[in-house]
Amino acid sequence: MAIVTVPDENRTIEDRDAIASYLAGIGIDYERWDTSRAIAPNAPAEEVLAAYSSEIDALKARGGYVTADVIDVNPQTPGLEAMLAKFNREHWHDEDEVRFIIHGRGVFHIHPREGAVVAIEVEAGDLIRVPRGTWHWFNLCETREIRAIRLFQDPAGWAPDYTETGVDSNYQPVCFGASYLPAQV
Ligand SMILES: [Fe+2]
């Protein structure tokens, strides 16, 4: 289950329906998918996509997504720091950012055009859809690993455009449950 915090309001939301409702209010879709199916977290990507094919197909139909893949990031990933550095500054995409978390944890910060910055810590079973144009940034938690299904309308739109506001530097990438990833230097 995700944990949502609003740092500037010293607010934490941990109830599933309350999370979905709050995030809907800032344009972010949040769902929980059943992860009890018989598939290992480290199963090959094709098996993961097959196991969740009904949910993926439903999302494709709803959002116009045409492709799905599985992203794997862990401390052994070549170029991990450079990859993380692309997404830990405030940016947006010309493409929805849709992630279903299979394994690991991370924190999306969402910066609504009006209203407080919201941190969404996601874990296995969480689906998040950050609509195109939404200002956001992403950090891994302490274990520095995440595995997720991604959906794309057009993978060409996935490159980040940076706001360069520096707002991201005002928020620590805090993960709860004693996981904490200090800002990288
Ligand atoms: Fe992004």
Side-chain angles (χ1 to χ4, degrees):
M1 177 70 72
I3 301 172
V4 169
T5 56
V6 188
D8 294 335
E9 298 175 357
N10 207 17
R11 179 175 178 185
T12 301
I13 307 169
E14 297 186 73
D15 173 78
R16 173 182 174 162
D17 291 340
I19 288 172
S21 173
Y22 186 91
L23 294 182
I26 57 169
I28 308 296
D29 288 345
Y30 173 76
E31 297 176 15
R32 287 286 299 174
W33 285 3
D34 172 24
T35 54
S36 63
R37 61 206 75 195
I39 183 165
N42 60 351
E46 311 78 58
E47 290 183 23
V48 171
L49 293 172
Y52 292 98
S53 61
S54 61
E55 287 92 343
I56 290 170
D57 288 346
L59 267 182
K60 283 181 174 176
R62 265 168 50 195
Y65 309 109
V66 295
T67 61
D69 69 6
V70 176
I71 176 80
D72 269 302
V73 172
N74 59 59
Q76 286 75 46
T77 301
L80 176 63
E81 295 307 325
M83 181 190 303
L84 295 176
K86 283 180 69 177
F87 302 113
N88 68 4
R89 291 183 288 136
E90 187 175 73
H91 65 274
W92 77 93
H93 309 276
D94 294 325
E95 165 84 11
D96 292 355
E97 187 161 329
V98 186
R99 300 288 180 271
F100 172 67
I101 313 302
I102 300 163
H103 176 75
R105 303 179 75 90
V107 184
F108 287 90
H109 278 84
I110 307 293
H111 182 190
R113 296 295 197 276
E114 296 177 12
V117 168
V118 179
I120 310 166
E121 182 178 332
V122 292
E123 66 170 7
D126 290 326
L127 173 87
I128 184 169
R129 186 181 74 92
V130 180
R132 65 180 73 182
T134 303
W135 294 339
H136 67 281
W137 63 95
F138 178 79
N139 297 88
L140 286 178
C141 294
E142 189 181 55
T143 58
R144 305 178 72 72
E145 58 183 352
I146 202 158
R147 191 166 204 223
I149 295 173
R150 309 187 293 185
L151 287 102
F152 298 97
Q153 292 139 334
D154 175 4
W158 167 236
D161 287 305
Y162 298 101
T163 64
E164 308 290 2
T165 62
V167 166
D168 44 272
S169 64
N170 297 331
Y171 298 88
Q172 289 291 337
V174 175
C175 294
F176 292 90
S179 299
Y180 175 63
L181 176 65
Q184 297 297 301
V185 291

